[in-house]
């Protein structure tokens, strides 16, 4: 692999990570929107729209970084995994 190909790959990887992080920030919009003084009809469009855009952005980033990285990242966000890690450490002691 030449250095130019390696640079392009690392740029695509960094771009994919950036897109995934941005998609996570889009998930804050449905949480914040109900507390804004925007009309209800507009809120009803903003909330599902932001969820759809966030999902599209996540999967676009996942395509750029690769399947393994995306699955690892999703496992970090799974609340079921949070307790398992603590329980295994407790049982090992």
């Amino acid at each position: 692999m030449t250095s130019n190909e390696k640079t392009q790959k690392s740029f695509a990887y960094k771009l994919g990570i950036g897109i995934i992080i941005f998609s996570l920030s889009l998930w804050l919009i449905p949480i914040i929107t109900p507390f804004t003084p925007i009309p209800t009809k507009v809120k009803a469009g903003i909330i599902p729209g932001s969820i759809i855009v966030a999902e599209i952005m996540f999967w676009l980033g996942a395509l750029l970084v690769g399947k393994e990285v995306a699955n690892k990242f999703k496992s970090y966000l799974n609340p079921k995994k949070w307790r398992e890690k603590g329980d295994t450490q407790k049982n090992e002691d």
Side-chain angles (χ1 to χ4, degrees):
M1 183 183 294
T2 66
S3 64
N4 189 22
E5 290 175 5
K6 196 173 190 180
T7 305
Q8 284 183 335
K9 184 176 181 182
S10 66
F11 175 74
Y13 181 81
K14 290 177 184 177
L15 180 65
I17 293 293
I19 290 173
I20 289 173
I21 291 170
F22 181 70
S23 75
L24 291 176
S25 67
L26 287 177
W27 278 98
L28 294 175
I29 293 173
I31 296 169
I32 296 170
T33 302
F35 303 107
T36 60
I38 301 172
T40 306
K41 289 182 180 181
V42 177
K43 288 179 188 179
I46 289 174
I47 293 172
S50 65
I51 292 171
I52 291 169
V53 170
E55 281 294 315
I56 291 171
M57 297 287 285
F58 177 82
W59 289 110
L60 180 65
L63 285 174
L64 291 173
V65 297
K67 182 180 177 181
E68 295 83 17
V69 176
N71 285 337
K72 185 176 182 181
F73 193 71
K74 282 179 72 175
S75 71
Y76 287 140
L77 299 176
N78 187 355
K80 291 181 182 178
K81 298 283 184 177
W82 297 345
R83 288 208 75 168
E84 287 177 7
K85 186 174 184 180
D87 288 343
T88 56
Q89 289 177 352
K90 190 185 295 181
N91 290 337
E92 290 175 0
D93 292 335

